[in-house]
Amino acid sequence: MTLLAEVEPNENKLHFDTYEGVAAWFDASDMADYEQQLTPIEFHFDLRKDRDWVELEHSLAQMIRKLAQERGISTRALVNQWLYERVSQ
């Protein structure tokens, strides 16, 4: 398996050109081998920030995804289009 990772010159950091390269490296590597090189960090994120989420029934979401795919647009774009049309009436 070829891992598309390069060690940065004069640094002990890996560089990946793609997310797939990162995923392949993590799949093939054992993080326990790198424990001494890891630095603990603290972070916080909020998936809801600047987003409004609406929970859909699973079967309805599947139908909407299929329609969006048939139209060649994202599910989000299709739902937004429909909602804008509805609230503009």
Side-chain angles (χ1 to χ4, degrees), residues 12-37:
N12 197 14
K13 295 181 184 177
L14 294 174
H15 170 77
F16 299 93
D17 291 328
T18 66
Y19 290 120
E20 291 83 5
V22 174
W25 185 85
F26 272 99
D27 287 345
S29 302
D30 184 350
M31 291 307 294
D33 294 338
Y34 299 89
E35 188 173 357
Q36 298 303 318
Q37 298 172 14

Side-chain angles (χ1 to χ4, degrees), residues 25-79:
W25 185 85
F26 272 99
D27 287 345
S29 302
D30 184 350
M31 291 307 294
D33 294 338
Y34 299 89
E35 188 173 357
Q36 298 303 318
Q37 298 172 14
L38 299 176
T39 304
I41 63 168
E42 291 186 30
F43 66 94
H44 173 76
F45 64 93
D46 185 353
L47 293 176
R48 296 171 295 161
K49 186 177 181 178
D50 298 326
R51 297 277 189 217
D52 292 315
W53 299 94
V54 176
E55 186 174 340
L56 301 175
E57 292 181 18
H58 182 69
S59 60
L60 178 59
Q62 286 180 315
M63 290 187 290
I64 294 170
R65 277 194 293 275
K66 183 179 178 190
L67 286 170
Q69 185 177 24
E70 289 171 0
R71 295 177 186 202
I73 61 175
S74 69
T75 303
R76 180 177 183 249
L78 180 59
V79 170

